[in-house]
Structure formats: structure tokens, C-alpha cells
Amino acid sequence: QVQLVESGGGLVQAGGSLRLSCAASGNIFSINTMGWYRQAFGKQRELVATITINKNTNYADSVKGRFTISRDNARYTVDLQMNSLKPEDTAVYYCNAGDFRLPPQSYWGQGTQVTVSS
């Protein structure tokens, strides 16, 4: 089992920045990919960004150039730096970790609210 704890959400004005952090614990040596997903009110959960253990990254088109995902393999943390935030970025952001199995076992954090005011 892997446990994920997020921090860093909050309220920010449009154009501002926030940094989300996620710390993994438990069976951390099984973790391959880590990432962030978000779910806006009334919408489905969607991918924001992922990063593999080799630090290959993938971003949703809507956040490319504004968000940066990073990972510390020694501390088993993953961060999401969010710049130039827009009201449409408002959502609950969830940390995710996947292990090396095929298909991978997926683990989720409890979520952290990000609200961008216009």
C-alpha cells in the first residue's frame, strides 16, 4: 500500500501562482509514475501532469507552459508549480501514484482545493 498526502492548495487571484506538494509513504519502492489530476465541480477527473521515475513528463494541453511537475526520488515527493493561473484551473487537485505492475495499481491522495478568482 502507498499513502499520499497533498498540501499547498488555496485561493489565488487570476495570474497568480501556487505550488502543490505530495509526499508518499508506505510501499514507496513500488512507485513508478507519480502525477496530479484535477476534478472541477460537475466534471470528470482529468489528468494535469505526470512524471515517471526516470523523470519523463507529460502535461495536459491546457496547462503546458504554465505548470511544471517535479519529483524528488530520494524523498518520494512530487510537486506541481502552477503559474499564470486561470479561473478554469479551479478544481480539487489529487496526487496519484502508480506502481510497476501491468496494469499498474493506482493510489490517490485525499485532494486539495485550488480556487482561482477572476
Side-chain angles (χ1 to χ4, degrees):
Q1 289 290 324
V2 173
Q3 294 79 43
L4 302 170
V5 177
E6 303 108 333
S7 60
L11 173 65
V12 65
Q13 286 189 331
S17 298
L18 279 176
R19 187 176 183 89
L20 304 182
S21 295
C22 173
S25 61
N27 191 16
I28 53 177
F29 298 108
S30 69
I31 297 174
N32 180 12
T33 299
M34 300 186 76
W36 291 91
Y37 290 70
R38 67 186 181 188
Q39 186 167 17
F41 182 76
K43 295 187 177 181
Q44 289 189 329
R45 191 173 298 188
E46 64 177 6
L47 178 146
V48 176
T50 60
I51 184 167
T52 69
I53 195 167
N54 295 319
K55 300 192 178 179
N56 295 312
T57 59
N58 180 49
Y59 293 92
D61 288 342
S62 59
V63 307
K64 283 180 181 176
R66 300 188 298 122
F67 292 10
T68 302
I69 191 169
S70 60
R71 174 174 178 163
D72 185 330
N73 285 336
R75 295 172 57 234
Y76 292 93
T77 59
V78 60
D79 292 347
L80 185 69
Q81 178 65 43
M82 305 184 293
N83 298 328
S84 302
L85 282 160
K86 304 175 181 180
E88 51 263 44
D89 295 318
T90 296
V92 178
Y93 283 70
Y94 295 91
C95 181
N96 174 268
D99 65 17
F100 288 93
R101 286 178 281 188
L102 293 175
Q105 175 70 45
S106 192
Y107 303 94
W108 295 94
Q110 80 284 358
T112 185
Q113 177 70 46
V114 171
T115 303
V116 184
S117 63
S118 56

